[in-house]
């Protein structure tokens, strides 16, 4: 209880800028948590399914069976499902639908990452605002009749330092999160493009074989 | 495959914030808690080592004998030299030699110059009916030396002042110069220093009582 009280005093020393900084921090943490769970649950591809698609001439029924084990919201399930549902259409049509779905998936993966990127820049600026406020308050106490309230001056300096430290801490955490999840997004889209190309190639081979048989 | 519906972008993400926001809030509170603990821990005031107190061992007069009024009247108080000067020639401010002559409270020694009568305070002299009660005079606990600047040294060569201390039962002290030095600035400095002296109050029957002490302060600059 004493620790909580001391933490609350330190929090109050940070000044008014601690509140928007805390809002940014909670938002950044929430986005990073959401992204972490998202990538953990909806983008990890089972090795068996990956190896099956990379094998030329796989059976579509086997692929459909493997896909049924995935969550309906899994991004690879959605992508592969679109390709499979359109595999009897001309391959250019299937390719176009797969590209559309990939674009939708990319939008989902990058959703709210701009907020994280904004926090990376905004948090230190807010901390600097707190610094300016604290310093102005401290200098106002010094001016005029001289140093009449040393406690107030040191409190202003502490406020400035705390706001800056919190802002930099939030920016650092957000920067690591933004770069990490941007990298994960790029890796996921590369993997999806590579496997989609395999499937389109398979469809084109099938259609080419059918055309040859009809001829 | 026929039941497949095209997902709205970010549909499942919107629900993601419903649980991640409270968790993030909890995490942030924990981080602030840790940050606050670190801040307050590093903000603990470092207690500086106390500077050495410039004090001396004071020889106290022996406690008066059991109350025998006749004996006390006959026996004149003998001034006791309580301070030994310390000469520090290397210091920037020359410290004058201070000699305090303590006169026990029962019969204050009248200064050579006619001094005003002592204020009415509770006498430390036991009354005739206080036979058998234990009595102990006030003791000085802290007696810093007055430090005079260079320009005042000439005026204080071998100066002797008499100071009267009114020591209350709670140990508080009021002091007045019954025989001041010629220079008023020297008197101010001496009074300023004497006001910092601390006394243990006189005891009578185990209880602190007010008392008066006349102390001769000799300032001898070598």
């Amino acid at each position: 209880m004493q620790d909580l009280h001391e933490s609350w005093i330190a929090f109050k020393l940070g000044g008014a800028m601690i509140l928007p900084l805390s809002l940014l921090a909670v938002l950044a943490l929430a986005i990073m948590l959401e992204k972490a769970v998202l990538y953990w649950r909806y983008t990890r591809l089972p090795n068996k399914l990956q190896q099956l698609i990379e094998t030329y001439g796989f059976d579509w029924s086997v692929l459909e069976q493997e896909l049924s084990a995935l969550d309906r919201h899994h991004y690879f399930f959605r992508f592969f499902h679109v390709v499979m549902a359109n595999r009897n259409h001309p391959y250019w049509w299937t390719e176009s639908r797969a590209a559309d779905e990939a674009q939708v998936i990319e939008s989902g993966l990058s959703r709210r990452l701009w907020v994280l990127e904004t926090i990376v820049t905004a948090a230190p600026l807010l901390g600097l605002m707190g610094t300016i406020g604290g310093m102005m308050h401290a200098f106002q106490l010094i001016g005029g009749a001289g140093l009449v309230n040393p406690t107030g001056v040191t409190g202003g300096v502490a406020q400035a330092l705390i706001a800056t430290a919190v802002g930099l801490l939030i920016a650092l955490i957000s920067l690591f999160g933004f770069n990490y999840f941007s990298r994960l997004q790029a890796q996921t889209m590369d993997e999806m493009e590579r496997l989609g190309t395999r499937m389109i190639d398979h469809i084109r081979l099938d259609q080419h074989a059918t055309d040859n048989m009809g001829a | 495959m026929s039941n497949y519906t095209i997902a709205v972008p970010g549909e499942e993400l919107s629900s993601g914030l419903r649980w991640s926001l409270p968790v993030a809030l909890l995490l942030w509170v924990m981080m602030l808690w840790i940050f606050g603990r670190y801040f307050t821990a590093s903000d603990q005031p470092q207690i500086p080592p106390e500077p050495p107190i410039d004090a001396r061992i004071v020889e106290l007069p022996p406690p008066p004998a059991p109350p025998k009024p006749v004996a006390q009247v006959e026996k004149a108080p003998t001034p006791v030299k309580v301070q030994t000067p310390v000469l520090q020639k290397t210091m920037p401010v020359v410290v004058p030699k201070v000699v305090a002559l303590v006169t026990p409270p029962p019969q204050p020694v009248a200064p050579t110059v006619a001094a005003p009568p002592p204020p009415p305070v509770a006498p430390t002299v036991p009354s005739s009916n206080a036979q058998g009660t234990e009595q102990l005079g006030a003791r000085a606990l802290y007696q810093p030396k007055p430090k005079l600047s260079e320009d005042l040294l000439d005026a204080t060569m071998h100066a002797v002042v008499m100071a009267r201390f009114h020591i209350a039962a709670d140990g508080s002290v009021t002091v007045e110069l019954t025989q001041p030095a010629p220079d008023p600035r020297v008197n101010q400095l001496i009074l300023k220093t004497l006001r910092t002296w601390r006394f243990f109050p006189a005891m009578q029957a185990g209880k602190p009582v007010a008392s008066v002490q006349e102390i001769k302060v000799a300032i001898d600059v070598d």
Side-chain angles (χ1 to χ4, degrees), chain B residues 20-198:
Chain B
S20 62
L21 269 177
V23 176
L25 186 62
L26 187 65
L27 276 175
W28 178 241
V29 169
M30 288 177 62
M31 287 174 67
L32 275 183
W33 180 44
I34 295 171
F35 184 78
R37 283 192 67 180
Y38 171 77
F39 178 78
T40 51
S42 62
D43 198 34
Q44 293 294 329
Q46 300 291 329
I47 300 175
E50 293 185 357
I53 297 175
D54 189 7
R56 302 177 182 185
I57 297 176
V58 178
E59 293 180 14
L60 296 174
K68 291 179 181 178
V70 176
Q72 286 186 356
V73 170
E74 293 175 350
K75 187 176 180 181
T78 304
V80 179
K81 189 177 180 181
V82 295
Q83 290 188 349
T84 304
V86 176
L87 184 60
Q88 296 177 349
K89 292 183 177 178
T90 57
M91 293 178 63
V93 176
V94 177
V95 179
K97 182 166 66 181
V98 177
V99 177
L101 300 177
V102 178
T103 303
Q107 294 180 354
V109 177
T112 55
V113 181
V121 295
T124 56
V125 181
S127 60
S128 58
N129 58 356
Q131 195 167 12
T133 58
E134 188 175 319
Q135 181 200 7
L136 186 64
R139 291 174 289 159
L141 300 175
Y142 179 49
Q143 290 179 300
K145 306 161 290 186
K147 294 180 179 179
L148 303 181
S149 55
E150 292 284 345
D151 57 338
L152 294 177
L153 288 178
D154 294 336
T156 56
M157 285 293 199
H158 308 289
V160 175
V161 298
M162 288 292 294
R164 177 178 294 151
F165 287 86
H166 301 271
I167 304 159
D170 58 354
S172 59
V173 174
T174 56
V175 59
E176 57 183 336
L177 293 181
T178 56
Q179 182 180 340
D183 193 330
R185 292 180 298 165
V186 176
N187 290 331
Q188 284 184 354
L189 283 173
I190 292 176
L191 269 178
K192 185 179 178 183
T193 306
L194 294 184
R195 286 193 184 104
T196 64
W197 287 24
R198 293 292 176 262

Side-chain angles (χ1 to χ4, degrees), chain A residues 47-120:
Chain A
N47 286 332
K48 191 176 178 182
L49 181 60
Q50 188 174 356
Q51 289 173 359
L52 176 67
I53 294 176
E54 287 182 347
T55 305
Y56 285 101
F58 60 84
D59 191 352
W60 288 102
S61 60
V62 177
L63 177 60
E64 190 171 355
Q65 186 181 354
E66 290 293 333
L67 280 179
S68 62
L70 291 180
D71 189 286
R72 276 181 51 82
H73 291 107
H74 199 286
Y75 284 112
F76 281 98
F77 173 86
R78 289 166 51 178
F79 180 72
F80 295 153
H81 210 290
V82 167
V83 175
M84 288 179 64
N86 293 280
R87 72 177 186 270
N88 294 323
H89 293 87
Y91 72 89
W92 53 267
W93 171 268
T94 309
E95 194 173 359
S96 178
R97 297 287 74 75
D100 289 347
E101 184 66 17
Q103 191 175 6
V104 170
I105 289 172
E106 187 174 16
S107 299
L109 288 176
S110 63
R111 195 177 189 195
R112 296 196 185 93
L113 273 183
W114 69 270
V115 179
L116 217 53
E117 191 177 13
T118 305
I119 290 174
V120 170

Side-chain angles (χ1 to χ4, degrees), chain A residues 3-4 6-7 10-11 13 22 25-26 29-31 33-34 37-38 64 72-73 75 78 81-82 84 101 104 108 111-112 158 162 165-166 169-170 173, chain B residues 1-14 16-17 19-21 23-25 27-29 31-37 39-41 43-44:
Chain A
D3 291 340
L4 281 178
E6 290 175 353
S7 300
F11 180 81
L13 270 180
S22 295
V26 170
L29 286 173
I31 291 173
L33 280 172
E34 174 208 343
V37 173
L38 180 79
E64 190 171 355
R72 276 181 51 82
H73 291 107
Y75 284 112
R78 289 166 51 178
H81 210 290
V82 167
M84 288 179 64
E101 184 66 17
V104 170
R111 195 177 189 195
R112 296 196 185 93
I162 288 177
V166 171
L169 179 72
I170 296 170
I173 294 175
Chain B
M1 291 295 174
S2 58
N3 58 351
Y4 175 73
T5 55
I6 296 176
V8 178
E11 180 187 11
E12 64 280 2
L13 298 180
S14 301
L17 283 183
W19 65 266
S20 62
L21 269 177
V23 176
L25 186 62
L27 276 175
W28 178 241
V29 169
M31 287 174 67
L32 275 183
W33 180 44
I34 295 171
F35 184 78
R37 283 192 67 180
F39 178 78
T40 51
D43 198 34
Q44 293 294 329

